[in-house]
Amino acid sequence: MSPAPKDAQMPYVAYQGVAGAYSEAAAAKACPNFETIPCDQFETAFQSVENRIADLAILPIENSLGGSIHRNYDLLVRHNLHIIGEVLLPVHHCLMALPGVRLESVRRVISHPQALAQCEQTLTKLGLNAACEAFDDTAGAAEQISLYNLQDTAAIASARAAKIYKLEILANGIQDDSRNFTRFMVLSRDPVDPRADRPFKTSVVFALENGTSALFKALSAFEARNINLSKIESRPHKSCPIRLVETVKRFEYVFFAEFEASMAEVRTQEAMAELQEYSSFFRVLGCYPMDIASESASNEG
């Protein structure tokens, strides 16, 4: 756990990683008037808010190329924090190494697994004779090279990380697809008041009383009220992983759903009431303003 901030009057936002991480950039964008608290693990960021070390936490939830961050979906269920906002951040990867290291002398590339996957084709085109190794986070990989003077190793991280850890950029913009965005969730101990006068999203998690066979009925609650279901994600149901149906064992799931409507709207309240009729477990994770500006930027990219 990070140490308690010295200035109790200043608001703080927790993120996973070290200085120069994309999560730090997302925190600065979402909470420009907050001081940041780096955390070594995603769960530590949740705990820092629960224990009042930080006022907010910001966590990545999905990437446009790499998909969902499953660990954080599980943590949303384990912890009782509320989603109060979202921010979409463009991801611009750089390949960096110690000053003077040449591209052809790199024998190892380290970074977060998603960053490695997002740059796989470009690394091949660069002709690197290097092994790729997973690291906890992108900026942490850059820090590792600087701390241990790794002459044969390059990192994939942000340009800001290169500046912080005094590394030279060997190749810029190495993501395989320029339309590379990560969506982050802002978490708080308290929810925001839902409103119907501006675009809101709502995130819920539920498990079905009769298993996945009832999923069509559950989703019809949205369709019948013309609610745009923007995302649905399934994860193993940790409390009930297997259901025995007659003589067949079936996997059980919890479902995370996001839809473009506010809990202040009557149609949303009606849909949630119907959804709960089919559910053995149901929780609203948050009702929060949509990041309209960022979504527009992603469409332009």
Side-chain angles (χ1 to χ4, degrees):
M1 183 71 67
S2 300
K6 296 179 181 179
D7 185 354
Q9 301 303 313
M10 182 173 290
Y12 283 80
V13 56
Y15 70 94
Q16 186 275 328
V18 299
Y22 291 107
S23 290
E24 184 194 39
K29 182 177 180 180
C31 312
N33 299 318
F34 283 57
E35 288 291 321
T36 55
I37 300 178
C39 300
D40 58 348
Q41 301 292 332
F42 287 131
E43 188 156 24
T44 310
F46 279 83
Q47 293 169 341
S48 68
V49 178
E50 291 176 327
N51 295 330
R52 299 183 181 274
I53 293 172
D55 301 275
L56 303 175
I58 188 158
L59 281 301
I61 200 70
E62 65 175 334
N63 176 267
S64 57
L65 302 181
S68 299
I69 316 296
H70 295 129
R71 174 62 173 163
N72 285 338
Y73 276 101
D74 293 339
L75 290 172
L76 284 171
V77 176
R78 181 182 301 175
H79 296 271
N80 195 31
L81 298 182
H82 303 271
I83 302 170
I84 64 165
E86 65 173 0
V87 60
L88 211 60
L89 187 78
V91 177
H92 188 83
H93 290 312
C94 301
L95 185 68
M96 59 195 68
L98 289 168
V101 172
R102 299 173 63 86
L103 192 63
E104 55 268 25
S105 66
V106 172
R107 295 293 175 263
R108 186 173 63 139
V109 177
I110 59 175
S111 192
H112 188 275
Q114 284 219 1
L116 292 171
Q118 291 162 18
C119 302
E120 183 179 8
Q121 296 176 30
T122 304
L123 290 177
T124 300
K125 291 177 182 177
L126 288 172
L128 284 178
N129 182 24
C132 293
E133 295 182 14
F135 206 80
D136 288 342
D137 60 90
T138 56
E143 181 185 45
Q144 186 86 350
I145 291 174
S146 179
L147 282 175
Y148 295 98
N149 195 34
L150 303 178
Q151 297 285 334
D152 65 344
T153 303
I156 297 174
S158 67
R160 172 169 158 75
K163 184 176 181 180
I164 291 173
Y165 301 110
K166 297 180 173 55
L167 303 181
E168 287 186 354
I169 294 177
L170 302 177
N172 206 341
I174 64 168
Q175 60 276 1
D176 295 336
D177 193 317
S178 60
R179 297 164 296 183
N180 188 4
F181 288 79
T182 297
R183 188 163 67 102
F184 294 81
M185 294 298 197
V186 184
L187 306 175
S188 173
R189 290 183 295 273
D190 302 308
V192 295
D193 291 331
R195 293 167 55 180
D197 61 345
R198 59 172 295 182
F200 261 65
K201 273 186 181 178
T202 300
S203 293
V204 299
V205 59
F206 60 93
L208 297 170
E209 187 71 44
N210 295 319
T212 54
S213 61
L215 183 58
F216 178 80
K217 291 182 178 179
L219 297 182
S220 67
F222 300 98
E223 193 277 334
R225 294 165 181 86
N226 196 31
I227 295 175
N228 182 28
L229 187 65
S230 56
K231 182 177 175 65
I232 185 165
E233 180 85 16
S234 64
R235 296 290 297 144
H237 193 332
K238 300 291 180 67
S239 300
C240 180
I242 297 291
R243 177 190 294 264
L244 184 62
V245 180
E246 295 179 350
T247 59
V248 179
K249 291 182 179 179
R250 301 187 186 278
F251 284 13
E252 286 296 281
Y253 303 92
V254 292
F255 298 93
F256 295 84
E258 291 179 8
F259 53 91
E260 296 174 2
S262 170
M263 286 299 295
E265 300 178 56
V266 173
R267 62 173 181 155
T268 305
Q269 296 165 14
E270 292 176 346
M272 294 303 95
E274 182 177 339
L275 180 59
Q276 289 182 71
E277 293 178 6
Y278 307 113
S279 302
S280 58
F281 164 73
F282 174 86
R283 191 171 121 209
V284 176
L285 296 172
C287 181
Y288 47 93
M290 293 173 60
D291 189 355
I292 299 296
S294 292
E295 289 181 0
S296 299
S298 68
N299 290 333
E300 293 170 3

